[in-house]
Amino acid sequence: MAVLEIIAKGILMGLGLSFVVGPALFALIQTSLTSGFKAGVRFAIGISLSDILVVSLVTFGVSALFEEETSRTIISIVGGIIMIIFGVFTFLQKMPQKGKSIPTSTGMSHLKYIGKGFLFNIANPGVWLYWVGPVSISANMGSAPIGGNMELTQRESSLLFLASLLAAVFTCDVMKCAIAYKLKTILLPKVIHIINKVVGVIFIVFGIYLVVTVFVSIPNPVNNI
């Protein structure tokens, strides 16, 4: 398998995964609408960092924790509570003032949005299951010639595939931020306020769902969230 083929496969899969609808997508759009393009990009950086961590842990078999009932219970409850908290804060956001400029960002605010994106994404149990497929595919990558007598090892090919995939997902997230920010300029503050309410409710319902599934036997959350 050629190097360019590995990169192309990673990018194509990343493009597909980036359009999966889940809590992170709503959070990314809501952040860009409410706090601006730069805040949205920082939130996307946080999501990307958590994805890198999850991919690394899944690669080393940490996803096996989900096979243990006690671990699944703790992860679902903690993740659900975090989602509910995010939902409440989003729902209670005040209506933005028309024409009001976005405050100048500081170093701490940069970290705040990155931290929010990281925590929000990694708290979703579905994210861990979401990355099991791509990691499994990467494990089946063979060695790849890179010219002369040199070639990438199987592990290097796997890392290249995952890096291309993650880069494609992050690029698409940045594009989502840009589109959402452009929409902000044409949406009335009242519409943005309603969007915050709707997104807040979505987070709260998803969080409650995660907690309830621990105690009630109902279908599990969609794995591709």
Side-chain angles (χ1 to χ4, degrees):
M1 182 178 292
V3 171
L4 289 179
E5 184 180 351
I6 293 174
I7 295 174
K9 285 186 175 181
I11 292 174
L12 287 174
M13 189 168 191
L15 291 175
L17 292 176
S18 66
F19 288 101
V20 172
V21 177
L25 173 62
F26 291 111
L28 193 65
I29 293 174
Q30 186 271 338
T31 300
S32 300
L33 280 174
T34 305
S35 304
F37 173 70
K38 291 182 179 179
V41 171
R42 292 180 191 113
F43 194 91
I45 291 173
I47 291 176
S48 185
L49 290 175
S50 69
D51 281 341
I52 292 171
L53 176 60
V54 170
V55 167
S56 301
L57 294 177
V58 169
T59 300
F60 289 105
V62 176
S63 60
L65 285 173
F66 288 90
E67 298 175 4
E68 300 177 8
E69 186 175 350
T70 302
S71 298
R72 289 202 308 269
T73 298
I74 294 173
I75 292 169
S76 291
I77 292 176
V78 173
I81 291 173
I82 292 175
M83 290 285 179
I84 292 170
I85 292 173
F86 269 103
V88 170
F89 276 102
T90 301
F91 185 84
L92 295 177
Q93 283 196 32
K94 296 180 180 179
M95 183 183 297
Q97 299 299 313
K98 189 172 183 179
K100 185 176 180 180
S101 60
I102 298 172
T104 303
S105 299
T106 63
M108 288 303 295
S109 67
H110 295 173
L111 293 176
K112 179 183 75 172
Y113 287 110
I114 293 174
K116 284 176 66 176
F118 182 91
L119 180 61
F120 185 90
N121 196 55
I122 207 167
N124 180 3
V127 169
W128 295 78
L129 301 176
Y130 168 93
W131 283 110
V132 170
V135 170
S136 299
I137 292 173
S138 73
N140 293 320
M141 292 288 165
S143 57
I146 54 177
N149 295 324
M150 300 179 64
E151 67 175 19
L152 296 179
T153 64
Q154 187 280 328
R155 178 172 290 276
E156 291 170 338
S157 296
S158 174
L159 290 174
L160 179 61
F161 171 79
L162 291 173
S164 302
L165 193 162
L166 288 164
V169 171
F170 175 71
T171 301
C172 286
D173 282 347
V174 172
M175 292 175 64
K176 294 171 192 173
C177 293
I179 293 171
Y181 183 66
K182 287 295 183 181
L183 290 175
K184 175 185 173 68
T185 61
I186 61 176
L187 292 177
L188 296 174
K190 187 174 182 179
V191 175
I192 296 177
H193 187 58
I194 293 173
I195 291 174
N196 285 339
K197 297 290 186 184
V198 173
V199 172
V201 170
I202 290 173
F203 293 164
I204 293 170
V205 170
F206 186 78
I208 293 173
Y209 185 84
L210 288 178
V211 175
V212 170
T213 53
V214 173
F215 306 102
V216 181
S217 181
I218 55 179
N220 290 324
V222 179
N223 288 348
N224 287 333
I225 291 180

